[in-house]
């Protein structure tokens, strides 16, 4: 595999993981600090967290597949 291609996949996986961690932290803050008053924000933030984690899992799988190929 081209080293530049692998670096691109690695960067994408790291960025996706950072975003997932940021969304998880926002969800944690909502639960710890603002519930039950901000309950209406919960579905959208939970979905954003799920989507970010899914994006990370897909990016990580692409990186692992490239390493195994």
């Amino acid at each position: 595999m081209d080293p530049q291609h692998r670096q691109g996949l690695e960067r994408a996986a790291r960025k996706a993981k950072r975003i997932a961690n940021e969304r998880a932290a926002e969800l944690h803050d909502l639960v710890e600090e603002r519930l039950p008053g901000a309950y209406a924000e919960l579905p959208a933030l939970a979905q954003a967290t799920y989507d970010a984690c899914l994006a990370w899992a897909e990016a990580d799988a692409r990186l692992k597949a490239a390493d195994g190929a």
Side-chain angles (χ1 to χ4, degrees):
M1 169 192 308
D2 178 6
Q4 289 180 337
H5 182 253
R6 188 189 184 288
Q7 284 179 341
L9 291 173
E10 191 174 326
R11 258 191 311 271
R14 279 196 317 262
K15 180 179 179 180
K17 186 173 183 177
R18 179 185 53 79
I19 292 169
N21 283 330
E22 288 172 3
R23 296 299 165 265
E26 291 171 10
L27 183 59
H28 177 267
D29 291 346
L30 174 67
V31 169
E32 288 289 318
E33 298 170 6
R34 300 190 340 233
L35 284 181
Y39 72 92
E41 296 176 39
L42 194 52
L45 192 49
Q47 185 65 52
T49 304
Y50 175 83
D51 292 345
C53 290
L54 182 59
W56 166 78
E58 291 169 350
D60 191 55
R62 283 191 297 273
L63 177 60
K64 287 178 180 177
D67 282 345

